Short mmCIF file of all heavy atoms in Angstrom, two decimals:
data_model
loop_
_atom_site.label_atom_id
_atom_site.label_comp_id
_atom_site.label_asym_id
_atom_site.label_seq_id
_atom_site.Cartn_x
_atom_site.Cartn_y
_atom_site.Cartn_z
N MET A 5 -43.26 -10.81 -78.07
CA MET A 5 -43.61 -10.72 -76.65
C MET A 5 -42.59 -11.29 -75.68
O MET A 5 -42.06 -12.44 -76.08
CB MET A 5 -44.99 -11.29 -76.38
CG MET A 5 -45.30 -11.36 -74.88
SD MET A 5 -46.88 -11.77 -74.28
CE MET A 5 -47.33 -13.34 -75.14
N ILE A 6 -42.20 -10.72 -74.69
CA ILE A 6 -41.26 -11.24 -73.71
C ILE A 6 -42.10 -12.05 -72.77
O ILE A 6 -43.02 -11.47 -72.11
CB ILE A 6 -40.46 -10.16 -73.01
CG1 ILE A 6 -39.70 -9.31 -74.05
CG2 ILE A 6 -39.53 -10.68 -71.92
CD1 ILE A 6 -38.94 -8.14 -73.49
N ARG A 7 -41.65 -13.33 -72.52
CA ARG A 7 -42.36 -14.17 -71.62
C ARG A 7 -41.76 -14.03 -70.23
O ARG A 7 -40.61 -13.72 -70.09
CB ARG A 7 -42.32 -15.59 -72.13
CG ARG A 7 -43.18 -15.78 -73.47
CD ARG A 7 -42.96 -17.19 -74.01
NE ARG A 7 -43.83 -17.47 -75.04
CZ ARG A 7 -43.72 -16.93 -76.26
NH1 ARG A 7 -42.82 -16.23 -76.53
NH2 ARG A 7 -44.71 -17.42 -77.13
N ASP A 8 -42.61 -14.45 -69.21
CA ASP A 8 -42.19 -14.32 -67.81
C ASP A 8 -41.70 -15.70 -67.34
O ASP A 8 -41.43 -15.86 -66.10
CB ASP A 8 -43.13 -13.65 -66.98
CG ASP A 8 -44.50 -14.50 -66.95
OD1 ASP A 8 -44.60 -15.56 -67.55
OD2 ASP A 8 -45.47 -13.95 -66.29
N SER A 9 -41.62 -16.74 -68.20
CA SER A 9 -41.22 -18.06 -67.87
C SER A 9 -39.86 -18.42 -68.55
O SER A 9 -39.62 -18.26 -69.83
CB SER A 9 -42.22 -19.09 -68.24
OG SER A 9 -41.77 -20.34 -68.20
N THR A 10 -38.95 -18.84 -67.82
CA THR A 10 -37.62 -19.23 -68.36
C THR A 10 -37.68 -20.47 -69.32
O THR A 10 -36.84 -20.58 -70.14
CB THR A 10 -36.63 -19.57 -67.17
OG1 THR A 10 -37.14 -20.67 -66.42
CG2 THR A 10 -36.32 -18.38 -66.38
N SER A 11 -38.76 -21.22 -69.19
CA SER A 11 -38.80 -22.40 -70.05
C SER A 11 -39.73 -22.18 -71.21
O SER A 11 -39.76 -22.91 -72.10
CB SER A 11 -39.36 -23.63 -69.27
OG SER A 11 -40.59 -23.33 -68.72
N ALA A 12 -40.35 -21.02 -71.32
CA ALA A 12 -41.32 -20.78 -72.45
C ALA A 12 -40.68 -19.96 -73.54
O ALA A 12 -41.11 -20.05 -74.73
CB ALA A 12 -42.62 -19.97 -71.93
N CYS A 13 -39.57 -19.28 -73.27
CA CYS A 13 -38.97 -18.49 -74.30
C CYS A 13 -38.03 -19.48 -75.20
O CYS A 13 -37.94 -20.65 -74.81
CB CYS A 13 -38.05 -17.45 -73.78
SG CYS A 13 -36.55 -17.95 -72.98
N ASN A 14 -37.64 -19.12 -76.36
CA ASN A 14 -36.93 -19.87 -77.30
C ASN A 14 -35.62 -20.32 -76.75
O ASN A 14 -35.26 -21.47 -76.83
CB ASN A 14 -36.63 -19.12 -78.56
CG ASN A 14 -37.88 -18.87 -79.39
OD1 ASN A 14 -38.78 -19.73 -79.37
ND2 ASN A 14 -37.85 -17.97 -80.23
N PHE A 15 -34.96 -19.55 -75.91
CA PHE A 15 -33.74 -19.90 -75.32
C PHE A 15 -33.96 -20.96 -74.21
O PHE A 15 -33.19 -21.99 -74.13
CB PHE A 15 -32.86 -18.76 -74.64
CG PHE A 15 -31.59 -19.15 -73.96
CD1 PHE A 15 -30.60 -19.54 -74.73
CD2 PHE A 15 -31.59 -19.05 -72.63
CE1 PHE A 15 -29.41 -19.88 -74.07
CE2 PHE A 15 -30.40 -19.37 -71.92
CZ PHE A 15 -29.32 -19.79 -72.71
N GLY A 16 -34.95 -20.71 -73.42
CA GLY A 16 -35.42 -21.78 -72.35
C GLY A 16 -35.71 -23.12 -72.94
O GLY A 16 -35.44 -24.17 -72.45
N LYS A 17 -36.42 -23.09 -74.12
CA LYS A 17 -36.78 -24.33 -74.81
C LYS A 17 -35.57 -24.98 -75.38
O LYS A 17 -35.36 -26.22 -75.26
CB LYS A 17 -37.85 -24.11 -75.93
CG LYS A 17 -39.20 -23.69 -75.48
CD LYS A 17 -40.02 -23.24 -76.62
CE LYS A 17 -41.41 -22.77 -76.28
NZ LYS A 17 -42.22 -22.34 -77.27
N TRP A 18 -34.61 -24.21 -75.95
CA TRP A 18 -33.41 -24.72 -76.42
C TRP A 18 -32.54 -25.37 -75.39
O TRP A 18 -31.93 -26.43 -75.50
CB TRP A 18 -32.61 -23.70 -77.19
CG TRP A 18 -31.30 -24.07 -77.69
CD1 TRP A 18 -31.03 -24.84 -78.80
CD2 TRP A 18 -30.04 -23.76 -77.13
NE1 TRP A 18 -29.84 -25.02 -78.96
CE2 TRP A 18 -29.07 -24.35 -77.97
CE3 TRP A 18 -29.66 -23.07 -75.98
CZ2 TRP A 18 -27.74 -24.28 -77.71
CZ3 TRP A 18 -28.39 -23.05 -75.73
CH2 TRP A 18 -27.35 -23.66 -76.51
N ILE A 19 -32.34 -24.63 -74.25
CA ILE A 19 -31.46 -25.00 -73.13
C ILE A 19 -31.92 -26.32 -72.47
O ILE A 19 -31.07 -26.99 -71.96
CB ILE A 19 -31.22 -23.90 -72.21
CG1 ILE A 19 -29.92 -24.08 -71.34
CG2 ILE A 19 -32.39 -23.71 -71.22
CD1 ILE A 19 -28.75 -23.93 -72.12
N ALA A 20 -33.23 -26.50 -72.52
CA ALA A 20 -33.69 -27.76 -71.97
C ALA A 20 -33.20 -29.04 -72.60
O ALA A 20 -33.11 -30.04 -71.92
CB ALA A 20 -35.25 -27.70 -71.92
N SER A 21 -32.87 -28.99 -73.87
CA SER A 21 -32.44 -30.15 -74.49
C SER A 21 -30.91 -29.99 -74.96
O SER A 21 -30.36 -30.83 -75.61
CB SER A 21 -33.28 -30.48 -75.79
OG SER A 21 -33.15 -29.34 -76.63
N PHE A 22 -30.27 -28.92 -74.52
CA PHE A 22 -28.88 -28.62 -74.91
C PHE A 22 -27.94 -29.61 -74.25
O PHE A 22 -28.09 -29.89 -73.10
CB PHE A 22 -28.40 -27.19 -74.64
CG PHE A 22 -27.01 -26.89 -74.70
CD1 PHE A 22 -26.49 -26.72 -76.04
CD2 PHE A 22 -26.19 -26.87 -73.65
CE1 PHE A 22 -25.22 -26.59 -76.23
CE2 PHE A 22 -24.80 -26.58 -73.79
CZ PHE A 22 -24.32 -26.40 -75.13
N ASN A 23 -27.00 -30.07 -75.04
CA ASN A 23 -25.91 -30.95 -74.46
C ASN A 23 -24.67 -30.76 -75.26
O ASN A 23 -24.74 -30.61 -76.48
CB ASN A 23 -26.48 -32.42 -74.54
CG ASN A 23 -25.52 -33.42 -73.82
OD1 ASN A 23 -24.75 -32.96 -72.96
ND2 ASN A 23 -25.66 -34.61 -74.02
N THR A 24 -23.59 -30.81 -74.64
CA THR A 24 -22.22 -30.64 -75.25
C THR A 24 -21.15 -31.29 -74.55
O THR A 24 -21.32 -31.47 -73.35
CB THR A 24 -21.83 -29.13 -75.46
OG1 THR A 24 -20.76 -28.99 -76.24
CG2 THR A 24 -21.68 -28.46 -74.03
N ASP A 25 -20.17 -31.74 -75.22
CA ASP A 25 -19.02 -32.40 -74.64
C ASP A 25 -17.93 -31.35 -74.36
O ASP A 25 -16.91 -31.57 -73.82
CB ASP A 25 -18.49 -33.53 -75.46
CG ASP A 25 -19.42 -34.66 -75.61
OD1 ASP A 25 -20.06 -34.93 -74.52
OD2 ASP A 25 -19.38 -35.25 -76.65
N SER A 26 -18.13 -30.04 -74.93
CA SER A 26 -17.18 -29.00 -74.84
C SER A 26 -17.24 -28.27 -73.51
O SER A 26 -18.36 -27.66 -73.19
CB SER A 26 -17.36 -28.00 -75.88
OG SER A 26 -16.61 -26.85 -75.73
N ALA A 27 -16.34 -28.31 -72.66
CA ALA A 27 -16.30 -27.65 -71.39
C ALA A 27 -16.35 -26.10 -71.63
O ALA A 27 -16.93 -25.40 -70.78
CB ALA A 27 -15.04 -27.99 -70.56
N GLU A 28 -15.70 -25.76 -72.68
CA GLU A 28 -15.75 -24.19 -72.91
C GLU A 28 -17.11 -23.70 -73.36
O GLU A 28 -17.60 -22.63 -72.81
CB GLU A 28 -14.81 -23.92 -74.13
CG GLU A 28 -14.66 -22.40 -74.27
CD GLU A 28 -13.72 -22.14 -75.41
OE1 GLU A 28 -13.08 -23.06 -76.08
OE2 GLU A 28 -13.43 -20.90 -75.73
N ILE A 29 -17.85 -24.52 -74.13
CA ILE A 29 -19.21 -24.03 -74.53
C ILE A 29 -20.13 -24.15 -73.33
O ILE A 29 -21.00 -23.34 -73.16
CB ILE A 29 -19.67 -24.89 -75.76
CG1 ILE A 29 -18.83 -24.48 -77.00
CG2 ILE A 29 -21.15 -24.69 -75.97
CD1 ILE A 29 -19.06 -25.34 -78.18
N LYS A 30 -19.97 -25.30 -72.65
CA LYS A 30 -20.84 -25.51 -71.36
C LYS A 30 -20.65 -24.34 -70.44
O LYS A 30 -21.67 -23.82 -69.89
CB LYS A 30 -20.50 -26.85 -70.75
CG LYS A 30 -21.35 -27.08 -69.49
CD LYS A 30 -21.23 -28.44 -68.88
CE LYS A 30 -22.06 -28.81 -67.76
NZ LYS A 30 -22.82 -27.75 -67.19
N ALA A 31 -19.34 -23.89 -70.25
CA ALA A 31 -19.11 -22.79 -69.31
C ALA A 31 -19.85 -21.52 -69.79
O ALA A 31 -20.35 -20.80 -69.01
CB ALA A 31 -17.62 -22.61 -69.16
N LEU A 32 -19.73 -21.26 -71.10
CA LEU A 32 -20.39 -20.03 -71.62
C LEU A 32 -21.94 -20.20 -71.45
O LEU A 32 -22.58 -19.17 -71.14
CB LEU A 32 -20.05 -19.88 -73.10
CG LEU A 32 -18.65 -19.50 -73.46
CD1 LEU A 32 -18.42 -19.59 -74.93
CD2 LEU A 32 -18.38 -18.03 -72.95
N VAL A 33 -22.60 -21.34 -71.81
CA VAL A 33 -23.97 -21.44 -71.56
C VAL A 33 -24.31 -21.26 -70.07
O VAL A 33 -25.33 -20.62 -69.71
CB VAL A 33 -24.41 -22.77 -72.24
CG1 VAL A 33 -25.86 -23.11 -71.85
CG2 VAL A 33 -24.16 -22.73 -73.67
N ASP A 34 -23.61 -22.02 -69.18
CA ASP A 34 -23.86 -21.90 -67.88
C ASP A 34 -23.88 -20.38 -67.36
O ASP A 34 -24.59 -20.10 -66.40
CB ASP A 34 -22.87 -22.76 -67.01
CG ASP A 34 -23.12 -24.32 -67.23
OD1 ASP A 34 -24.21 -24.71 -67.78
OD2 ASP A 34 -22.35 -25.05 -66.78
N LYS A 35 -23.07 -19.64 -67.89
CA LYS A 35 -22.83 -18.21 -67.54
C LYS A 35 -24.10 -17.46 -67.70
O LYS A 35 -24.35 -16.50 -67.02
CB LYS A 35 -21.68 -17.65 -68.28
CG LYS A 35 -21.20 -16.37 -67.76
CD LYS A 35 -19.96 -15.97 -68.58
CE LYS A 35 -19.46 -14.58 -68.29
NZ LYS A 35 -18.37 -14.17 -69.08
N THR A 36 -25.00 -17.95 -68.66
CA THR A 36 -26.21 -17.27 -68.94
C THR A 36 -27.45 -17.63 -68.12
O THR A 36 -28.43 -16.93 -68.04
CB THR A 36 -26.64 -17.54 -70.42
OG1 THR A 36 -26.98 -18.87 -70.59
CG2 THR A 36 -25.55 -17.13 -71.38
N LEU A 37 -27.28 -18.75 -67.38
CA LEU A 37 -28.49 -19.34 -66.71
C LEU A 37 -29.02 -18.42 -65.64
O LEU A 37 -30.21 -18.24 -65.57
CB LEU A 37 -28.08 -20.64 -66.15
CG LEU A 37 -27.83 -21.75 -67.31
CD1 LEU A 37 -27.50 -23.14 -66.58
CD2 LEU A 37 -28.91 -21.88 -68.37
N GLU A 38 -28.17 -18.02 -64.79
CA GLU A 38 -28.74 -17.14 -63.68
C GLU A 38 -29.23 -15.88 -64.15
O GLU A 38 -30.24 -15.30 -63.74
CB GLU A 38 -27.59 -17.04 -62.57
CG GLU A 38 -28.14 -16.19 -61.35
CD GLU A 38 -29.33 -16.87 -60.63
OE1 GLU A 38 -29.63 -17.97 -60.88
OE2 GLU A 38 -29.91 -16.23 -59.75
N PRO A 39 -28.55 -15.02 -65.10
CA PRO A 39 -29.12 -13.81 -65.61
C PRO A 39 -30.33 -14.08 -66.43
O PRO A 39 -31.33 -13.22 -66.27
CB PRO A 39 -27.99 -13.25 -66.51
CG PRO A 39 -26.75 -13.99 -66.22
CD PRO A 39 -27.12 -15.29 -65.47
N HIS A 40 -30.44 -15.18 -67.04
CA HIS A 40 -31.73 -15.58 -67.74
C HIS A 40 -32.72 -15.73 -66.78
O HIS A 40 -33.88 -15.29 -67.00
CB HIS A 40 -31.40 -16.83 -68.59
CG HIS A 40 -32.52 -17.41 -69.37
ND1 HIS A 40 -33.16 -18.59 -69.02
CD2 HIS A 40 -33.26 -16.88 -70.29
CE1 HIS A 40 -34.25 -18.71 -69.85
NE2 HIS A 40 -34.20 -17.66 -70.75
N ARG A 41 -32.59 -16.51 -65.58
CA ARG A 41 -33.58 -16.70 -64.70
C ARG A 41 -34.02 -15.28 -64.13
O ARG A 41 -35.31 -15.03 -63.95
CB ARG A 41 -33.16 -17.55 -63.56
CG ARG A 41 -34.19 -17.82 -62.60
CD ARG A 41 -33.62 -18.37 -61.29
NE ARG A 41 -32.74 -17.54 -60.51
CZ ARG A 41 -33.21 -16.49 -59.75
NH1 ARG A 41 -34.50 -16.23 -59.75
NH2 ARG A 41 -32.48 -15.75 -59.17
N LYS A 42 -33.06 -14.39 -63.79
CA LYS A 42 -33.42 -13.16 -63.23
C LYS A 42 -34.11 -12.28 -64.21
O LYS A 42 -35.07 -11.51 -63.81
CB LYS A 42 -32.09 -12.45 -62.79
CG LYS A 42 -31.45 -13.00 -61.52
CD LYS A 42 -30.22 -12.38 -61.16
CE LYS A 42 -29.57 -12.90 -59.88
NZ LYS A 42 -28.27 -12.22 -59.57
N PHE A 43 -33.79 -12.34 -65.47
CA PHE A 43 -34.47 -11.53 -66.51
C PHE A 43 -35.96 -11.92 -66.52
O PHE A 43 -36.71 -10.96 -66.57
CB PHE A 43 -33.73 -12.01 -67.82
CG PHE A 43 -34.43 -11.48 -69.12
CD1 PHE A 43 -34.03 -10.19 -69.61
CD2 PHE A 43 -35.33 -12.24 -69.81
CE1 PHE A 43 -34.76 -9.66 -70.73
CE2 PHE A 43 -35.98 -11.83 -70.92
CZ PHE A 43 -35.63 -10.60 -71.42
N HIS A 44 -36.26 -13.11 -66.56
CA HIS A 44 -37.60 -13.52 -66.48
C HIS A 44 -38.47 -13.15 -65.21
O HIS A 44 -39.59 -12.89 -65.21
CB HIS A 44 -37.84 -15.04 -66.80
CG HIS A 44 -37.61 -15.29 -68.30
ND1 HIS A 44 -38.45 -14.93 -69.32
CD2 HIS A 44 -36.44 -15.83 -69.03
CE1 HIS A 44 -37.94 -15.27 -70.50
NE2 HIS A 44 -36.74 -15.86 -70.29
N GLN A 45 -37.65 -13.26 -64.07
CA GLN A 45 -38.21 -12.80 -62.87
C GLN A 45 -38.45 -11.15 -62.99
O GLN A 45 -39.58 -10.81 -62.47
CB GLN A 45 -37.28 -13.13 -61.65
CG GLN A 45 -37.87 -12.57 -60.35
CD GLN A 45 -39.09 -13.28 -60.01
OE1 GLN A 45 -39.21 -14.43 -59.97
NE2 GLN A 45 -40.16 -12.48 -59.60
N ASN A 46 -37.69 -10.53 -63.61
CA ASN A 46 -37.89 -9.08 -63.76
C ASN A 46 -39.15 -8.85 -64.52
O ASN A 46 -39.82 -7.90 -64.30
CB ASN A 46 -36.61 -8.50 -64.44
CG ASN A 46 -35.31 -8.52 -63.72
OD1 ASN A 46 -34.26 -8.54 -64.38
ND2 ASN A 46 -35.45 -8.37 -62.32
N VAL A 47 -39.39 -9.58 -65.64
CA VAL A 47 -40.50 -9.56 -66.38
C VAL A 47 -41.80 -9.61 -65.55
O VAL A 47 -42.72 -8.95 -65.53
CB VAL A 47 -40.64 -10.46 -67.64
CG1 VAL A 47 -41.91 -10.50 -68.30
CG2 VAL A 47 -39.47 -10.23 -68.51
N ARG A 48 -41.76 -10.70 -64.71
CA ARG A 48 -42.85 -11.01 -63.79
C ARG A 48 -43.09 -9.81 -62.80
O ARG A 48 -44.20 -9.39 -62.52
CB ARG A 48 -42.71 -12.23 -62.97
CG ARG A 48 -42.91 -13.58 -63.76
CD ARG A 48 -42.82 -14.93 -63.02
NE ARG A 48 -41.60 -15.12 -62.32
CZ ARG A 48 -40.58 -15.77 -62.92
NH1 ARG A 48 -40.60 -16.19 -64.16
NH2 ARG A 48 -39.47 -16.02 -62.17
N ASP A 49 -41.98 -9.33 -62.28
CA ASP A 49 -42.04 -8.12 -61.42
C ASP A 49 -42.63 -6.95 -62.02
O ASP A 49 -43.38 -6.26 -61.50
CB ASP A 49 -40.70 -7.86 -60.73
CG ASP A 49 -40.18 -8.99 -59.92
OD1 ASP A 49 -40.96 -9.93 -59.52
OD2 ASP A 49 -38.95 -9.02 -59.55
N ILE A 50 -42.18 -6.63 -63.31
CA ILE A 50 -42.65 -5.54 -64.01
C ILE A 50 -44.17 -5.68 -64.18
O ILE A 50 -44.87 -4.66 -64.07
CB ILE A 50 -41.90 -5.31 -65.41
CG1 ILE A 50 -40.43 -4.82 -65.09
CG2 ILE A 50 -42.70 -4.39 -66.33
CD1 ILE A 50 -39.49 -4.99 -66.24
N LYS A 51 -44.55 -6.81 -64.66
CA LYS A 51 -45.98 -7.01 -64.91
C LYS A 51 -46.82 -6.89 -63.65
O LYS A 51 -47.84 -6.25 -63.61
CB LYS A 51 -46.25 -8.47 -65.41
CG LYS A 51 -45.85 -8.74 -67.00
CD LYS A 51 -46.11 -10.10 -67.36
CE LYS A 51 -45.84 -10.31 -68.81
NZ LYS A 51 -46.11 -11.68 -69.18
N GLU A 52 -46.30 -7.28 -62.54
CA GLU A 52 -46.97 -7.19 -61.22
C GLU A 52 -47.06 -5.73 -60.84
O GLU A 52 -48.17 -5.24 -60.36
CB GLU A 52 -46.25 -8.02 -60.11
CG GLU A 52 -46.87 -7.89 -58.80
CD GLU A 52 -46.04 -8.70 -57.74
OE1 GLU A 52 -45.82 -9.93 -58.14
OE2 GLU A 52 -45.77 -8.13 -56.75
N CYS A 53 -45.99 -4.97 -61.10
CA CYS A 53 -46.01 -3.54 -60.73
C CYS A 53 -47.03 -2.89 -61.62
O CYS A 53 -47.82 -2.04 -61.09
CB CYS A 53 -44.70 -2.92 -60.98
SG CYS A 53 -43.41 -3.41 -59.69
N LEU A 54 -47.07 -3.15 -62.90
CA LEU A 54 -47.94 -2.44 -63.82
C LEU A 54 -49.41 -2.94 -63.45
O LEU A 54 -50.40 -1.98 -63.52
CB LEU A 54 -47.69 -2.83 -65.19
CG LEU A 54 -46.40 -2.18 -65.84
CD1 LEU A 54 -46.05 -2.72 -67.16
CD2 LEU A 54 -46.39 -0.62 -65.75
N GLY A 55 -49.67 -4.13 -63.04
CA GLY A 55 -50.91 -4.58 -62.68
C GLY A 55 -51.51 -3.94 -61.43
O GLY A 55 -52.66 -3.78 -61.41
N SER A 56 -50.69 -3.53 -60.63
CA SER A 56 -51.08 -2.74 -59.40
C SER A 56 -50.96 -1.19 -59.54
O SER A 56 -51.24 -0.55 -58.59
CB SER A 56 -50.17 -3.24 -58.16
OG SER A 56 -48.95 -2.80 -58.26
N GLY A 57 -50.80 -0.86 -60.73
CA GLY A 57 -50.69 0.57 -61.05
C GLY A 57 -49.41 1.29 -60.59
O GLY A 57 -49.37 2.58 -60.61
N ASN A 58 -48.42 0.54 -60.32
CA ASN A 58 -47.14 1.17 -59.88
C ASN A 58 -46.10 1.27 -61.10
O ASN A 58 -45.20 0.60 -61.18
CB ASN A 58 -46.48 0.39 -58.68
CG ASN A 58 -45.46 1.18 -58.03
OD1 ASN A 58 -44.85 2.11 -58.61
ND2 ASN A 58 -45.05 0.66 -56.86
N ARG A 59 -46.43 2.29 -62.01
CA ARG A 59 -45.54 2.40 -63.19
C ARG A 59 -44.10 2.84 -62.84
O ARG A 59 -43.24 2.43 -63.46
CB ARG A 59 -46.19 3.45 -64.01
CG ARG A 59 -45.56 3.56 -65.46
CD ARG A 59 -46.21 4.63 -66.32
NE ARG A 59 -45.48 4.87 -67.44
CZ ARG A 59 -45.57 4.21 -68.68
NH1 ARG A 59 -46.39 3.26 -68.71
NH2 ARG A 59 -44.79 4.55 -69.65
N ALA A 60 -44.00 3.64 -61.80
CA ALA A 60 -42.68 4.13 -61.48
C ALA A 60 -41.80 2.92 -61.03
O ALA A 60 -40.63 2.88 -61.39
CB ALA A 60 -42.76 5.06 -60.30
N ALA A 61 -42.32 2.00 -60.30
CA ALA A 61 -41.50 0.80 -59.80
C ALA A 61 -41.21 -0.01 -60.94
O ALA A 61 -40.09 -0.60 -61.09
CB ALA A 61 -42.24 0.10 -58.83
N ALA A 62 -42.22 -0.17 -61.91
CA ALA A 62 -41.88 -0.95 -63.15
C ALA A 62 -40.83 -0.45 -64.06
O ALA A 62 -39.92 -1.05 -64.46
CB ALA A 62 -43.25 -1.03 -63.87
N GLU A 63 -40.77 0.89 -64.10
CA GLU A 63 -39.75 1.56 -64.93
C GLU A 63 -38.40 1.43 -64.24
O GLU A 63 -37.43 1.31 -64.92
CB GLU A 63 -40.20 3.03 -65.17
CG GLU A 63 -41.15 3.24 -66.13
CD GLU A 63 -41.48 4.77 -66.43
OE1 GLU A 63 -40.70 5.54 -65.97
OE2 GLU A 63 -42.59 4.92 -67.05
N LYS A 64 -38.36 1.48 -62.97
CA LYS A 64 -37.15 1.31 -62.20
C LYS A 64 -36.55 -0.05 -62.45
O LYS A 64 -35.30 -0.20 -62.71
CB LYS A 64 -37.39 1.56 -60.69
CG LYS A 64 -36.18 1.51 -59.93
CD LYS A 64 -36.49 1.69 -58.42
CE LYS A 64 -35.14 1.69 -57.53
NZ LYS A 64 -35.36 1.80 -56.20
N ILE A 65 -37.37 -1.07 -62.43
CA ILE A 65 -36.86 -2.39 -62.79
C ILE A 65 -36.46 -2.49 -64.10
O ILE A 65 -35.40 -3.06 -64.43
CB ILE A 65 -37.98 -3.47 -62.42
CG1 ILE A 65 -38.37 -3.41 -60.91
CG2 ILE A 65 -37.56 -4.89 -62.85
CD1 ILE A 65 -39.61 -4.21 -60.64
N LEU A 66 -37.22 -1.95 -65.00
CA LEU A 66 -36.95 -2.05 -66.44
C LEU A 66 -35.55 -1.38 -66.79
O LEU A 66 -34.81 -2.04 -67.49
CB LEU A 66 -38.06 -1.37 -67.29
CG LEU A 66 -37.87 -1.40 -68.83
CD1 LEU A 66 -37.97 -2.72 -69.28
CD2 LEU A 66 -38.87 -0.40 -69.44
N LYS A 67 -35.31 -0.25 -66.27
CA LYS A 67 -34.05 0.51 -66.47
C LYS A 67 -32.92 0.01 -65.70
O LYS A 67 -31.70 0.26 -65.92
CB LYS A 67 -34.35 1.95 -66.24
CG LYS A 67 -35.27 2.61 -67.28
CD LYS A 67 -35.58 4.08 -67.03
CE LYS A 67 -36.57 4.58 -67.95
NZ LYS A 67 -36.95 5.92 -67.75
N GLY A 68 -33.13 -0.75 -64.56
CA GLY A 68 -32.16 -1.25 -63.73
C GLY A 68 -31.80 -2.70 -63.96
O GLY A 68 -31.04 -3.08 -64.84
N ASP A 69 -32.45 -3.60 -63.06
CA ASP A 69 -32.10 -4.98 -63.14
C ASP A 69 -32.38 -5.69 -64.45
O ASP A 69 -31.60 -6.50 -64.93
CB ASP A 69 -32.82 -5.68 -61.97
CG ASP A 69 -32.25 -5.41 -60.57
OD1 ASP A 69 -31.06 -4.82 -60.59
OD2 ASP A 69 -32.98 -5.58 -59.58
N PHE A 70 -33.49 -5.36 -65.00
CA PHE A 70 -33.93 -5.96 -66.29
C PHE A 70 -32.88 -5.67 -67.31
O PHE A 70 -32.46 -6.62 -67.98
CB PHE A 70 -35.29 -5.39 -66.76
CG PHE A 70 -35.79 -5.86 -68.00
CD1 PHE A 70 -36.37 -7.17 -68.18
CD2 PHE A 70 -35.51 -5.15 -69.19
CE1 PHE A 70 -36.75 -7.58 -69.33
CE2 PHE A 70 -35.93 -5.62 -70.44
CZ PHE A 70 -36.61 -6.87 -70.56
N ALA A 71 -32.47 -4.44 -67.43
CA ALA A 71 -31.52 -4.03 -68.47
C ALA A 71 -30.19 -4.75 -68.33
O ALA A 71 -29.54 -5.17 -69.14
CB ALA A 71 -31.31 -2.50 -68.57
N LEU A 72 -29.69 -4.84 -66.94
CA LEU A 72 -28.52 -5.51 -66.61
C LEU A 72 -28.62 -6.99 -66.93
O LEU A 72 -27.55 -7.51 -67.60
CB LEU A 72 -28.21 -5.23 -65.13
CG LEU A 72 -26.99 -6.01 -64.57
CD1 LEU A 72 -25.75 -5.42 -65.23
CD2 LEU A 72 -26.99 -5.81 -63.14
N ASN A 73 -29.67 -7.66 -66.61
CA ASN A 73 -29.76 -9.05 -66.86
C ASN A 73 -29.87 -9.34 -68.32
O ASN A 73 -29.25 -10.28 -68.70
CB ASN A 73 -30.93 -9.64 -66.04
CG ASN A 73 -30.60 -9.66 -64.50
OD1 ASN A 73 -29.49 -10.02 -64.12
ND2 ASN A 73 -31.56 -9.12 -63.66
N ARG A 74 -30.60 -8.56 -69.09
CA ARG A 74 -30.72 -8.63 -70.52
C ARG A 74 -29.37 -8.64 -71.21
O ARG A 74 -28.99 -9.47 -71.95
CB ARG A 74 -31.71 -7.69 -71.03
CG ARG A 74 -31.87 -7.70 -72.52
CD ARG A 74 -32.58 -6.43 -73.15
NE ARG A 74 -31.61 -5.26 -72.90
CZ ARG A 74 -32.05 -4.11 -72.56
NH1 ARG A 74 -33.36 -3.84 -72.37
NH2 ARG A 74 -31.31 -3.12 -72.29
N THR A 75 -28.59 -7.64 -70.82
CA THR A 75 -27.24 -7.43 -71.28
C THR A 75 -26.39 -8.58 -70.96
O THR A 75 -25.59 -9.09 -71.83
CB THR A 75 -26.58 -6.10 -70.71
OG1 THR A 75 -27.46 -5.00 -71.15
CG2 THR A 75 -25.25 -5.92 -71.27
N SER A 76 -26.45 -9.07 -69.78
CA SER A 76 -25.63 -10.20 -69.42
C SER A 76 -25.96 -11.46 -70.13
O SER A 76 -24.99 -12.19 -70.52
CB SER A 76 -25.82 -10.56 -67.86
OG SER A 76 -25.42 -9.49 -67.01
N VAL A 77 -27.23 -11.79 -70.39
CA VAL A 77 -27.60 -12.92 -71.23
C VAL A 77 -27.11 -12.80 -72.65
O VAL A 77 -26.52 -13.61 -73.16
CB VAL A 77 -29.12 -13.05 -71.16
CG1 VAL A 77 -29.55 -14.18 -72.13
CG2 VAL A 77 -29.55 -13.52 -69.78
N PHE A 78 -27.35 -11.59 -73.30
CA PHE A 78 -27.08 -11.42 -74.70
C PHE A 78 -25.59 -11.26 -75.00
O PHE A 78 -25.03 -11.62 -75.92
CB PHE A 78 -27.85 -10.29 -75.30
CG PHE A 78 -29.40 -10.69 -75.49
CD1 PHE A 78 -30.26 -10.24 -74.59
CD2 PHE A 78 -29.71 -11.57 -76.46
CE1 PHE A 78 -31.65 -10.62 -74.78
CE2 PHE A 78 -31.08 -12.00 -76.59
CZ PHE A 78 -31.95 -11.50 -75.77
N ALA A 79 -24.91 -10.87 -73.95
CA ALA A 79 -23.37 -10.69 -74.06
C ALA A 79 -22.76 -12.06 -74.34
O ALA A 79 -21.76 -12.11 -75.05
CB ALA A 79 -22.69 -9.93 -72.82
N ALA A 80 -23.25 -13.02 -73.62
CA ALA A 80 -22.75 -14.36 -73.72
C ALA A 80 -23.02 -14.89 -75.21
O ALA A 80 -22.26 -15.83 -75.65
CB ALA A 80 -23.29 -15.28 -72.69
N PHE A 81 -24.12 -14.55 -75.80
CA PHE A 81 -24.47 -15.02 -77.08
C PHE A 81 -23.40 -14.49 -78.06
O PHE A 81 -22.98 -15.14 -79.05
CB PHE A 81 -25.75 -14.55 -77.61
CG PHE A 81 -26.93 -15.20 -76.82
CD1 PHE A 81 -28.23 -14.61 -76.71
CD2 PHE A 81 -26.81 -16.42 -76.21
CE1 PHE A 81 -29.22 -15.10 -76.06
CE2 PHE A 81 -27.86 -16.98 -75.53
CZ PHE A 81 -29.09 -16.27 -75.43
#
């Protein structure tokens, strides 16, 4: 299940305690933070659209911003 909270997913739990002395690794991880936040916001937005019966809007988010943010997060991995 995809969670709508950035701190409830496995990555969010891991990042909360992540620490490194490597500037290169830190930069890579930092690059994921904003798309990760947006990804979970997209999940909340999709759930809200579906909850109000607006399937078309949910699909638009899913195929648009959600897909883009998901790709951005996983590309850094």
